[in-house]
Amino acid sequence: MELGVLVIKLQLVRNAGQRSKNYIMDLKNFCHKLPKIELHAHLNGSASPKTLRTLYKMQNLSKNNDINEYSCIIERHSSLEECFKMFSIAHSLTNNPEAIFIVTCNVIKEFMDDNVIYLELRSTPRAVEGKMTKEEYIEAMIRAIKNCKLSCPNIVVKLLISVDRKQGYEAASENIKLAMNYATKYPGDVVGIDLSGDPTKGSVFIELLKESRTAGLKIAAHCAEVPNEMESMDILNLKPERLGHCTCIHPNLGGTASLFEAFCQSRIPIELCLTSNVKCKTVPSYVDHHFKYFYEAGHPICIATDDKGVFDTSLSKEFEIASSVFGLQREDLIKICKSSIEYSFASNEEKQRLLSMLINFNSKEELISS
């Protein structure tokens, strides 16, 4: 009798384990099939190891470097130090217009293969003496975006010109002027400004950002990646269309109760990048991520990758993590995608088309599960 009970218990445990395994697989498949919206992706950090290896060979760098060592670095992603090596490698390889074109095309295709239907790419234009001007950098990205309208028809792509705060006022002013000019030259392709860079250095250029808004550009600003209540409030008072990260807002993560309340009252959507924050050590773990505080408060949020190449992730993986860690159901994930469409810098016509794609997906999923 006791042996029979034990056998039954073991079978129940085995069945529960199988159901759990099936659920994880179902969630993974669902998150991949889900039509997703990516609103926070940096070009160079999004380059995959495969793309970087292509550029590496294209530039014949193996004559001067050990390609085997390089391959180990881009495959492991085993420490924060190696993540920063990846940033450095990506920048060193994207030093001419053709490399920028190739990276942009590949990043767009990889996002499309992950069933991302709308992508906002952001990048700081760079001049490389004798090889590339800032204008050529931007033109190469736009050429890739236009090329992908034919080769990758299932994804809408927009460009945000980045302002790197550590590069100083003159560079910020130059980049914003470039953004204004290219938004006029390529309306619908260049749609906004990204304020980013080392949060411990430089300024946030409030007046310059106001100038860009006057010219019709949207603003997505990195904010509160390190504790700095005064600067966080300055950015909040600027009222950007979206905020990035906002790691140190909640009192449990280096912020204050009053700061968290002010951000929640603003209703400005926040781009949350779970794996990026965990791997950069700005939050202790996924469980401790500030996603839970903003989500539970009903604040507008979207899920993003930040740098999918550097952090070895995808938007599907980020949705899967959010669901597993914070108990989000499938309808919650769909709702986040719907909201993200509204927070995007797409045109109203594009938003309606994207929303239709999501509604059609949801209808098919409900039909399958019924």
Side-chain angles (χ1 to χ4, degrees), residues 37-41 118 120 122 242 271 302 304 340 343-344:
I37 311 299
E38 172 63 79
L39 300 182
H40 189 127
Y118 178 87
E120 288 181 14
R122 52 185 76 185
R242 293 198 311 267
E271 306 150 354
C302 54
S340 298
Y343 310 148
S344 76

Side-chain angles (χ1 to χ4, degrees), residues 317-334:
K317 284 184 183 178
E318 296 303 296
F319 270 78
E320 188 180 348
I321 290 166
S323 177
S324 299
V325 175
F326 303 108
L328 273 59
Q329 302 302 307
R330 296 183 182 193
E331 55 267 30
D332 299 320
L333 300 180
I334 292 172

Side-chain angles (χ1 to χ4, degrees), residues 245-250 259-261 263-264 267-268 270 272 289-301:
H245 296 296
C246 294
T247 317
C248 303
I249 298 297
H250 193 274
L259 190 62
F260 181 70
E261 183 179 357
F263 271 71
C264 288
R267 305 297 296 165
I268 298 174
I270 297 175
L272 295 172
H289 197 278
H290 48 293
F291 179 100
K292 63 182 176 183
Y293 301 119
F294 285 111
Y295 187 75
E296 288 170 2
H299 190 82
I301 58 101

Side-chain angles (χ1 to χ4, degrees), residues 196-212:
S196 54
D198 189 336
T200 66
K201 294 181 172 66
S203 167
V204 292
F205 313 117
I206 296 295
E207 293 307 315
L208 287 176
L209 292 173
K210 286 180 179 178
E211 186 180 339
S212 72

Side-chain angles (χ1 to χ4, degrees), residues 256-306:
T256 64
S258 59
L259 190 62
F260 181 70
E261 183 179 357
F263 271 71
C264 288
Q265 287 179 351
S266 76
R267 305 297 296 165
I268 298 174
I270 297 175
E271 306 150 354
L272 295 172
C273 310
L274 285 86
T275 296
S276 168
N277 297 153
V278 170
K279 289 197 173 184
C280 284
K281 313 293 185 188
T282 54
V283 297
S285 67
Y286 289 114
V287 173
D288 298 303
H289 197 278
H290 48 293
F291 179 100
K292 63 182 176 183
Y293 301 119
F294 285 111
Y295 187 75
E296 288 170 2
H299 190 82
I301 58 101
C302 54
I303 297 173
T305 56
D306 199 10

Side-chain angles (χ1 to χ4, degrees), residues 43-44 47 51-52 54-61 64-65 86-104 123-138 140-141 143:
L43 176 66
N44 287 281
T51 294
L52 295 184
T54 297
L55 296 181
Y56 192 89
K57 291 178 179 178
M58 186 179 80
Q59 297 187 28
N60 294 319
L61 295 179
N64 302 313
N65 298 278
M86 285 285 288
F87 280 120
S88 177
I89 290 167
H91 279 281
S92 69
L93 296 176
T94 53
N95 60 359
N96 63 79
E98 189 58 24
I100 296 296
F101 176 80
I102 290 171
V103 168
T104 306
S123 191
T124 306
R126 286 186 296 127
V128 180
E129 188 174 355
K131 293 186 177 182
M132 176 172 62
T133 65
K134 285 189 174 184
E135 288 82 358
E136 288 172 329
Y137 186 109
I138 297 170
M141 285 194 72
R143 182 161 55 95

